[in-house]
């Protein structure tokens, strides 16, 4: 913006210089074939002032208009001087436009009236100008410059206001997304904490069972010890995912397993009871999943069905769970008509955060044949630990 403003100021001084040269050449060689009156040196001086001061037309539009008016019409009150196109009329029009374009508040009134008064003085006091045909020739362009300046000013200010509003809305949207991500990560951290706490509880129970068997049946103690090892590895995996999410979440841990795929039937029953018919089906080789993946699938289905209930109008929904060799895919499809697109709402932000945490992908978009579809794919292999600290958004 500073570079642009500097370029405009340089352009103003170039305009002033060019106009000054033209006016002086016109005065010297009488290109217009105008009637000459009064002192030529005085006319050259006033013309130079009227044209050179235009370099300040943006910085001080009202003062510029006043200087141009005084230079072109002030001496006419005491003596008759030559009135020319480049040295009088054009500077007055430029000063009028500049005042209308750049002056604000009540100052604009003085900025446009002073050049008009100067034109009136010239028309009344200079014999070669004082003719009836010169009235429209002088004052119609003058009125046009006032109108053009005000219109351009309103348009520019309107564009600036629109850009400022767009920037503010974009900042608010980004802040809303950041808040949604922060809130969702805090909730994820608490839920993952619950999973790890559950794993630790299982390890404590299995370790206690192994201790009881060590003296009576050492071989039988191997099974609970192996269970402790497996559960410990699982807890370490979940803790590594938590490292990038913990934000000092308040509240104590709830030592209970979080919902998973086995609870989707209960979720469907609940949705049916509140007015959204839902069917759940599974294909492929059904197998146990890690608690985090189980919870992610459940939350994605829960959020998608909630969005269908809120936005799709009268509709039915299907939940399809497919187990492949390397990934598990869940689809939530509805046949409604009012569901929103794949925007940046808080629910979709949360779903993407959950799925991205486990190295998966999520899409949410209207179906070509109608309705809305949410699809999430989660790999069954564990993502690298270094990737967990920065989940995909």
């Amino acid at each position: 913006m500073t570079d642009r403003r500097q370029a405009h100021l340089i352009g103003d001084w170039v305009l002033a210089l060019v106009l000054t040269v033209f006016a002086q050449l016109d005065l010297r060689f009488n290109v217009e074939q105008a009637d000459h009156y009064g002192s030529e040196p005085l006319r050259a001086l006033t013309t130079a002032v009227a044209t050179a001061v235009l370099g300040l037309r943006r910085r001080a539009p009202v003062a510029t208009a006043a200087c141009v008016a005084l230079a072109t019409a002030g001496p006419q009150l005491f003596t008759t001087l030559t009135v020319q196109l480049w040295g009088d009329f054009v500077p007055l029009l430029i000063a009028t436009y500049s005042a209308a374009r750049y002056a604000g508040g009540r100052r604009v009134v003085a900025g446009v009236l002073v050049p008009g008064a100067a034109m009136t003085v010239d028309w009344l006091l200079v014999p070669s100008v004082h003719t009836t045909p010169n009235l429209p020739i002088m004052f119609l362009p003058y009125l046009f410059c006032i109108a053009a300046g005000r219109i351009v000013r309103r348009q520019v200010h309107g564009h600036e206001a629109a850009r400022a509003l767009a920037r503010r809305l974009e900042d608010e949207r980004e802040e809303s997304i950041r808040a949604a991500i922060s809130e969702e990560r805090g909730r994820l951290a608490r839920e993952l904490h619950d999973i790890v706490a559950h794993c630790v509880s299982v390890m404590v129970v299995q370790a206690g069972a192994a201790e009881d068997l060590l003296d009576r049946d050492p071989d039988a103690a191997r099974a609970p010890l192996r269970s402790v090892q497996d559960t410990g590895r699982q807890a370490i995996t979940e803790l590594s995912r938590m490292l990038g999410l913990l934000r000092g979440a308040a509240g104590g841990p709830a030592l209970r397993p979080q919902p998973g795929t086995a609870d989707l039937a209960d979720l469907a029953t609940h949705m049916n009871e509140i007015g959204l018919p839902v069917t759940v089906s599974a294909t492929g080789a059904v197998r146990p999943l890690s608690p985090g993946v189980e919870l992610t699938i459940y939350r994605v289905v829960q959020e998608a069905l909630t969005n269908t209930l809120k936005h799709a109008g009268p509709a039915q929904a299907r939940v399809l769970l497919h187990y492949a060799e390397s990934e598990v895919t869940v689809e939530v499809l509805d046949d409604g008509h009012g569901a929103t697109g794949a925007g940046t709402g808080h629910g979709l932000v949360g779903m993407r955060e959950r799925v991205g945490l486990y190295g998966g992908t999520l899409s949410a978009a209207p179906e070509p044949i109608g309705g809305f579809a949410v699809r999430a794919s989660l790999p069954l292999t564990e993502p690298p630990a270094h990737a967990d600290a920065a989940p995909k958004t």
Side-chain angles (χ1 to χ4, degrees), residues 321-382:
L321 196 61
H322 177 68
Y323 293 85
E325 290 186 4
S326 60
E327 67 177 9
V328 59
T329 303
V330 61
E331 294 181 293
V332 183
L333 313 172
D334 69 61
D335 57 4
H337 60 273
T340 56
T344 57
H346 289 190
L348 289 177
V349 171
M351 283 193 282
R352 287 194 174 93
E353 280 290 301
R354 286 180 179 276
V355 173
L357 178 65
Y358 290 90
T361 59
L362 181 136
S363 65
E367 289 286 85
I369 59 175
F372 197 81
V374 175
R375 295 180 175 90
S377 297
L378 293 140
L380 296 180
T381 57
E382 298 294 341

Side-chain angles (χ1 to χ4, degrees), residues 211-283:
E211 184 180 18
D212 291 339
L213 291 172
L214 279 176
D215 293 332
R216 294 184 289 104
D217 191 352
D219 290 335
R222 296 180 183 275
L225 288 176
R226 281 194 296 270
S227 177
V228 169
Q229 290 178 335
D230 294 340
T231 306
R233 292 192 189 98
Q234 189 179 75
I236 291 173
T237 300
E238 301 298 340
L239 278 172
S240 67
R241 293 191 179 103
M242 273 177 54
L243 291 177
L245 297 174
L246 287 175
R247 295 293 185 269
L255 300 182
R256 59 179 179 84
Q258 296 291 331
T261 55
D263 300 284
L264 291 179
D266 293 337
L267 179 61
T269 300
H270 174 66
M271 287 294 177
N272 275 286
E273 290 175 352
I274 61 177
L276 176 64
V278 179
T279 60
V280 180
S281 60
T283 59

Side-chain angles (χ1 to χ4, degrees), residues 38-64:
S39 169
E40 291 295 332
L42 178 60
R43 178 72 279 188
L45 175 62
T46 58
T47 297
V49 173
T51 54
V53 77
L54 292 176
L56 299 173
R57 70 186 191 93
R58 291 177 198 261
R59 291 185 176 181
V62 176
T64 298

